[in-house]
């Protein structure tokens, strides 16, 4: 058991292989946080509970005048009483009073990990993979219980938390916030690391020191968004990729979120994360309950790199699901940047023919095959094949592509509706809208109100009909605008604040149904690129299109940043045409291929317009990818040189490597994005190898070196690597 309980001291301690998390129930029933960090042997840790100074001006609870909740480290702080820091829960009574005070009632420790009703969450493959502590707390006045769940993974330094509030009383309560987790740290000597971005520029790494007050990241867009990922790390000031402490906080959720770090008057730090309380209010009638989404907490003493590897392992095996979790994904060609809306079946088959020559395995038909859709102004909502445009039925097209030896995939944007669509004409009230207000358009489209059961049923029926009409192996699920006028006739008045969350629950319900109906289909989520790259979506779809920016140089930053918390096997990455459609930049084909290999690997260009020589190069790249694929998708990922930091005398180098779990093989990828004349060749220090093992470097190099030599002395890059603005190399290492 990874969960220990000391009934004498009322202490709970959760142990992962290299981390410990401890808390204690006070004589009055308050649940205080004792410790989270590197593993400690003792369970009796009550001496760690330091309440801090007098905290004058902060009141004390009536049953504990010696305590200041405003300075005590708490597991489930409520609002409205004497803790003025960020609360985990806020509850409004019928009379308008806003407060919550939760005290320990009971607990249960069990093997394994329960599922969260209607929500995505990490899971166990066997009961031995995790233990779960369920701590029931109660607010006496409200007759409300909050069960705090802690799942402790046996082989990973990860603990996940979520909470369930249950109204056992007679009055109707309003949950104004129920956050998923709260962790109090005694100090503030941390940097906060987040992933910021924009469309075409997702998940760039940002790092800054904590300051007094609240620093938060959030989304109010209805989806997790391009702008800020629902992830934050707190790391020690000296933390690097290899060394130092790092704590990860990640929300398994795809809607409005908030992660805040609040540094108090006594310089302690509280991290709280969950569904964004802004605009949120959930009516909790007598007998009803509400489940807050899961938060993943991870700890590493091996810097940010160690933190990433823990999250990668967790998501690869305990979040992504289904047949495609472990299966090799086909190398695909997508027609979006090849044709945009201008294609028919003959064009697609012509691309498929060329693709086969290069060893590509699947053709994906992107936007434009349905309804009236020759541009982005119409058709969304009418998921009926436009046979006139294609020149044949979907079934016939799929069979033609299969006859060329390729699998077939298809694009949908199910959550949207174009005003110019049959669906909108038949059901003008099915989109989000507010009485008396105009409907805001984004990319000429509106968002379907997924809180309405009839909308979800219609969507499922339409999608099912298409997916059953032909042999479809893959679905790209797109979402190309943020929500506005979030209002639903089903949830008006006191329930209006539920709508945004209910939208996400509606989406999850559809995705769950599709996963069950079509277990063979590989799903990839997308939102104008990576606008909804979050662990919630990964639960239903094991890969996400990283960005609409397919420029390989830009992708270095995007994929490097994404790897902070997401596994490489989840990162959709394609080789596209040059000059790049988004940036106008031209990088060599092998450079573009190398970057796309650090991902799901595919193509997105018109193969009928490439030369035979380019097709041959693609064939070589595909062969290499197939050989390296197990290592790339299942191996450990080490970031070696950052595209955010490079420059100066060493030139602009980005480098990373993949190491197999048994450390018998590795792949090093190095990219150079500038030329610096008369400069010394950079030396790359490798990581993750077995120091005592000898590795042969690429067949043709005839160089064999020990792991410690490669990791300590490093590997100077060959002289030729300095010529030309965009250079890349792949070095494969095999232990001998
Ligand atoms: C979004 C996606 C693209 C493509 C287009 C189609 O922008 O990110 O890959 O599918 O939609 O309209």
């Amino acid at each position: 058991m990874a969960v220990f309980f000391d009934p004498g001291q009322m202490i709970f301690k959760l142990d992962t292989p290299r981390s410990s998390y401890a808390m204690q129930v006070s004589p009055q029933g308050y649940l205080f946080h004792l410790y989270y960090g590197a593993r400690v042997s003792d369970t009796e840790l009550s001496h760690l509970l330091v309440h801090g100074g007098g905290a004058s001006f902060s009141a004390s609870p009536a049953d504990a005048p010696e305590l200041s909740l405003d300075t005590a480290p708490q597991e489930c702080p409520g609002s409205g009483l004497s803790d003025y820091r960020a609360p985990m829960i806020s509850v409004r009574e019928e009379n308008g009073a806003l407060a919550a005070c939760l005290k320990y009632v009971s607990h249960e420790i069990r093997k394994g990990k329960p599922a969260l009703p209607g929500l995505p969450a990490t899971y166990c493959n066997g009961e031995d993979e995790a233990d779960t502590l369920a701590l029931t707390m109660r607010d006496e006045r409200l007759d409300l219980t909050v069960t705090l769940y802690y799942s402790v993974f046996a082989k990973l330094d990860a603990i996940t938390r979520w909470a369930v509030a249950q109204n056992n009383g007679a009055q109707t309560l309003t949950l104004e916030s129920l956050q998923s987790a709260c962790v109090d740290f005694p100090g503030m000597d941390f940097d906060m690391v987040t992933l910021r971005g924009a469309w075409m520029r997702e998940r760039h790494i940002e790092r800054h020191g904590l300051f007094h007050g609240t620093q938060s990241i959030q989304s109010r867009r209805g989806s997790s968004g391009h702008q800020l990922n629902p992830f934050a790390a707190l790391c020690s000031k000296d933390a690097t990729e290899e060394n130092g402490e790092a704590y990860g906080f990640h929300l398994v959720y795809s809607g409005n979120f908030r992660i805040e770090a609040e540094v108090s008057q006594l310089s302690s730090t509280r991290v709280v994360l969950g569904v964004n309380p802004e605009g949120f209010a959930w009516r909790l009638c007598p007998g009803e309950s509400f489940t807050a989404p899961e938060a993943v907490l991870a700890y590493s003493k091996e810097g940010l790199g160690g933190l990433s590897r823990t999250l990668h392992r967790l998501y690869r095996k305990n979040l992504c699901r289904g047949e495609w979790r472990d299966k090799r994904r086909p190398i695909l060609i997508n027609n979006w940047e090849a044709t945009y809306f201008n294609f028919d079946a003959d064009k697609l088959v012509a691309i498929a023919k060329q693709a086969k020559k290069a060893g590509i395995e699947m053709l994906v038909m992107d936007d434009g095959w349905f309804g009236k859709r020759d541009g982005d102004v119409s058709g969304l909502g009418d998921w009926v094949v436009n046979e006139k445009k294609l020149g044949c039925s979907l079934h016939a097209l799929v069979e033609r592509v299969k006859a060329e030896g390729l699998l077939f995939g298809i694009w949908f944007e199910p959550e949207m509706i174009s005003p110019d669509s049959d669906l909108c004409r038949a059901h003008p009230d099915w989109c989000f809208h507010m009485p008396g207000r105009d409907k805001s358009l984004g990319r000429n489209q509106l968002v379907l109100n997924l809180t309405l059961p009839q909308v979800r049923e219609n969507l499922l029926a339409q999608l099912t009909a298409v997916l059953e009409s032909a042999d479809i192996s893959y679905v790209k699920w797109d979402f190309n605008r943020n929500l506005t006028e979030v209002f639903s006739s089903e949830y008006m008045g006191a329930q209006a604040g539920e709508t945004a969350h209910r939208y996400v629950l509606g989406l999850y319900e559809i995705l769950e149904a599709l996963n069950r109906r079509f277990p063979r289909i590989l799903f990839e989520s997308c939102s104008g690129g990576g606008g909804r790259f979050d662990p919630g979506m990964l639960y239903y779809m094991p890969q996400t299109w990283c960005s609409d920016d397919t420029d390989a140089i830009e992708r270095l930053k995007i994929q490097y940043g994404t790897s902070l918390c997401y596994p490489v096997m989840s990162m959709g990455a394609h080789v596209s045409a040059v000059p790049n459609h988004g940036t106008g930049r031209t990088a060599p084909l092998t450079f573009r291929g190398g970057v796309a290999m650090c991902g799901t690997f595919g193509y997105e260009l018109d193969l009928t317009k490439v030369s035979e020589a380019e097709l041959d190069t693609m064939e070589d790249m595909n062969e290499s990818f197939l050989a390296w694929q197990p290592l790339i998708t299942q191996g450990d990922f080490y970031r070696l040189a950052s595209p955010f930091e490079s420059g100066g005398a060493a030139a602009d180098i980005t480098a990373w490597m993949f190491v197999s779990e048994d450390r018998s093989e590795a792949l090093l990828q190095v990219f150079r994005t500038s030329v610096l004349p008369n400069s010394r060749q950079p030396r790359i220090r490798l990581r993750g190898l077995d120091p005592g093992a000898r590795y042969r470097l690429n067949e043709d190099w005839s160089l064999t070196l020990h792991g410690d030599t490669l990791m300590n002395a490093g590997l100077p890059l060959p002289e030729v690597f300095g010529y030309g603005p965009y250079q890349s190399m792949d070095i494969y290492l095999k232990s001998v």
Side-chain angles (χ1 to χ4, degrees):
M1 271 283 171
V3 180
F4 300 92
F5 174 57
D6 171 350
Q9 293 291 329
M10 291 298 285
I11 288 178
F12 296 93
K13 179 159 165 271
L14 321 176
D15 280 339
T16 72
R18 289 172 298 181
S19 74
S20 295
Y21 188 111
M23 51 207 151
Q24 182 173 31
V25 180
S26 80
Q28 301 83 3
Y30 297 108
L31 184 60
F32 292 132
H33 178 81
L34 294 178
Y35 176 70
Y36 184 31
R39 184 156 172 162
V40 295
S41 303
D42 293 301
T43 302
E44 215 303 59
L45 294 167
S46 49
H47 64 286
L48 293 177
L49 185 61
V50 178
H51 286 277
S56 51
F57 277 83
S58 310
S60 296
D63 61 354
E66 74 286 5
L67 286 183
S68 164
L69 295 182
D70 201 23
T71 58
Q74 299 198 66
E75 282 296 304
C76 185
S79 69
L81 301 171
S82 55
D83 186 344
Y84 296 92
R85 295 168 293 173
M88 191 170 147
I89 178 165
S90 281
V91 187
R92 200 174 286 283
E93 294 188 50
E94 283 170 359
N95 64 9
L98 183 68
C101 177
L102 291 147
K103 293 189 178 177
Y104 170 85
V105 179
S106 62
H107 73 272
E108 200 192 319
I109 299 170
R110 58 176 107 142
K111 293 203 83 52
K113 181 174 190 302
L116 275 67
L119 285 165
T122 59
Y123 62 89
C124 291
N125 296 288
E127 286 224 316
D128 289 342
E129 275 192 352
D131 293 327
T132 299
L133 166 67
L135 266 168
T136 299
M137 315 281 290
R138 178 163 178 264
D139 182 304
E140 200 182 335
R141 154 78 196 162
L142 304 174
D143 202 358
L144 173 90
T145 55
V146 175
T147 305
L148 304 174
Y149 287 90
Y150 300 78
S151 280
V152 188
F153 281 83
K155 297 216 170 109
L156 291 169
D157 295 309
I159 294 171
T160 72
R161 284 187 62 175
W162 69 101
V164 179
Q166 160 103 27
N167 182 358
N168 303 307
Q171 66 165 320
T172 294
L173 303 172
T174 304
L175 266 183
E176 300 218 336
S177 166
L178 177 62
Q179 297 293 283
S180 302
C182 167
V183 183
D184 275 332
F185 294 92
M188 65 172 289
D189 285 335
F190 293 112
D191 282 345
M192 187 169 176
V193 183
T194 53
L195 295 172
R196 66 159 178 102
W199 175 66
M200 296 278 280
R201 203 162 23 80
E202 296 90 336
R203 289 173 301 286
H204 283 206
I205 296 176
E206 192 155 272
R207 178 171 177 166
H208 62 79
L210 291 187
F211 51 81
H212 287 91
T214 299
Q215 36 256 278
S216 69
I217 56 166
Q218 61 182 315
S219 165
R220 306 182 185 95
R221 297 171 178 274
S223 65
S224 43
H226 299 85
Q227 291 73 11
L228 288 159
N229 205 262
F231 170 80
L234 287 194
C235 62
S236 52
K237 295 276 179 193
D238 61 355
T240 61
E241 275 295 322
E242 269 174 290
N243 299 307
E245 288 196 290
Y247 297 85
F249 300 91
H250 211 175
L251 197 64
V252 187
Y253 188 59
S254 312
N256 295 334
F257 73 90
R258 190 174 74 188
I259 304 179
E260 56 183 334
E262 183 175 359
V263 179
S264 75
Q265 54 185 331
L266 299 182
S267 304
S268 61
T269 304
R270 169 171 291 176
V271 178
V272 183
L273 65 158
V275 173
N276 196 339
E278 197 180 309
F280 172 91
W282 194 275
R283 190 183 74 182
L284 211 55
C285 293
E288 285 183 350
S289 65
F290 175 85
T291 303
E294 180 178 45
V296 173
L297 279 52
Y299 172 78
S300 156
K301 225 180 166 176
E302 286 160 15
L304 291 164
L307 183 68
S308 300
R309 286 184 288 280
T310 294
L311 293 172
H312 293 178
R313 284 185 181 213
L314 183 71
Y315 296 164
R316 278 201 314 251
K317 299 287 184 209
N318 300 93
L319 179 67
C320 292
R321 298 181 296 168
E323 210 165 278
W324 290 99
R325 187 189 76 173
D326 304 320
K327 215 161 117 179
R328 186 173 76 69
R329 321 263 170 84
I331 301 175
L332 65 82
I333 169 90
N334 177 302
N335 76 308
W336 178 243
E337 286 195 23
T339 65
Y340 296 101
F341 293 102
N342 186 16
F343 63 89
D344 58 13
D346 288 346
K347 177 70 192 178
L348 296 177
V349 173
I351 292 176
K353 244 188 218 331
Q354 292 290 92
K356 182 66 190 170
K357 286 191 207 160
I360 293 170
E361 301 164 305
M362 179 161 74
L363 176 99
V364 175
M365 176 170 69
D366 211 278
D367 194 355
W369 56 266
F370 52 90
K372 190 180 92 186
R373 184 80 173 164
D374 291 320
D376 63 11
V377 292
S378 59
L380 293 171
D382 299 339
W383 301 107
V384 178
V385 183
N386 185 342
E387 295 189 0
K388 199 159 159 246
K389 174 172 177 173
L390 287 184
C392 63
S393 68
L394 181 63
H395 179 80
L397 169 61
V398 175
E399 291 308 310
R400 283 179 70 188
V401 170
K402 278 172 61 191
E404 298 298 336
L406 272 77
L407 301 170
F408 189 88
I410 195 166
W411 178 97
F412 287 99
E413 196 181 354
E415 296 155 78
M416 300 293 161
I417 179 166
S418 306
D420 183 3
S421 66
D422 291 342
L423 190 73
C424 200
R425 280 181 283 273
H427 302 285
D429 55 338
W430 276 13
C431 63
F432 271 134
H433 61 284
M434 283 179 177
R437 290 194 187 279
D438 290 337
K439 296 170 184 158
S440 310
L441 288 168
R443 208 193 187 205
N444 308 302
Q445 61 202 48
L446 300 161
V447 184
L448 280 171
N449 178 357
L450 298 190
T451 73
L452 302 175
Q454 62 273 32
V455 174
R456 299 198 295 272
E457 275 158 32
N458 174 283
L459 254 188
L460 256 182
Q462 286 205 64
L463 298 180
T464 300
V466 175
L467 295 177
E468 282 178 346
S469 72
D471 187 4
I472 290 168
S473 305
Y474 160 107
V475 165
K476 177 175 169 189
W477 182 291
D478 214 336
F479 171 83
N480 278 320
R481 61 159 289 181
N482 291 130
L483 273 53
T484 51
E485 293 90 36
V486 180
F487 180 82
S488 177
S489 54
E490 290 273 292
Y491 302 100
M492 296 200 290
Q495 284 190 282
E498 300 175 12
T499 315
H501 183 61
R502 285 193 184 273
Y503 175 86
V504 180
L505 295 180
L507 169 65
Y508 289 157
E509 185 188 297
I510 295 171
L511 295 179
E512 184 63 34
L514 282 174
N515 266 272
R516 284 175 198 273
R517 262 181 220 180
F518 301 100
R520 293 253 141 81
I521 291 183
L522 168 62
F523 287 92
E524 173 160 347
S525 86
C526 173
S527 171
R532 202 164 53 181
F533 204 143
D534 59 59
M537 294 310 279
L538 281 187
Y539 179 73
Y540 303 100
M541 314 197 193
Q543 57 192 61
T544 301
W545 180 226
C546 255
S547 179
D548 277 347
D549 193 336
T550 57
D551 175 337
I553 289 90
E554 289 301 303
R555 277 297 189 113
L556 290 175
K557 286 186 181 152
I558 295 168
Q559 292 173 208
Y560 188 99
T562 303
S563 78
L564 201 57
C565 48
Y566 299 102
V568 170
M569 60 79 122
S570 70
M571 300 179 353
H574 299 167
V575 175
S576 62
V578 287
N580 182 269
H581 294 187
T583 63
R585 196 150 35 188
T586 297
L589 183 53
T590 46
F591 188 110
R592 287 175 275 149
V595 176
M597 281 189 205
C598 180
T600 55
F601 195 53
Y603 293 82
E604 189 155 337
L605 72 173
D606 190 346
L607 288 179
T608 64
K609 293 187 181 145
V610 306
S611 67
E612 285 300 317
E614 283 175 308
L615 272 188
D616 288 346
T617 305
M618 290 178 191
E619 194 178 358
D620 290 347
M621 296 196 308
N622 293 341
E623 270 172 23
S624 299
F625 180 72
L626 291 187
W628 297 333
Q629 187 271 345
L631 182 56
I632 291 174
T633 57
Q634 303 299 326
D636 280 328
F637 187 67
Y638 290 83
R639 291 177 295 264
L640 306 180
S642 167
F644 298 104
E645 288 163 14
S646 55
D652 293 319
I653 296 284
T654 297
W656 50 56
M657 65 187 288
F658 311 88
V659 183
S660 64
E661 208 169 323
D662 65 2
R663 299 192 287 177
S664 67
E665 53 171 348
L667 175 69
L668 167 68
Q669 290 197 294
V670 190
F671 305 92
R672 181 174 195 143
T673 52
S674 70
V675 202
L676 193 64
N678 191 22
S679 61
R680 203 177 36 194
Q681 286 307 106
R683 194 182 280 206
I684 303 281
R685 281 184 170 171
L686 277 56
R687 286 184 200 143
L689 300 173
D690 177 351
R694 290 173 66 235
Y695 293 88
R696 194 179 59 232
L697 276 69
N698 280 358
E699 299 280 326
D700 45 338
W701 272 30
S702 64
L703 195 58
T704 303
L705 291 166
H706 277 92
D708 57 5
T709 309
L710 289 160
M711 292 192 290
N712 297 334
L715 186 67
L717 299 175
E719 202 62 36
V720 290
F721 201 61
Y723 190 75
Y726 303 122
Q727 297 275 308
S728 66
M729 64 194 309
D730 304 313
I731 300 170
Y732 175 73
L733 298 95
K734 176 96 187 118
S735 67
V736 288

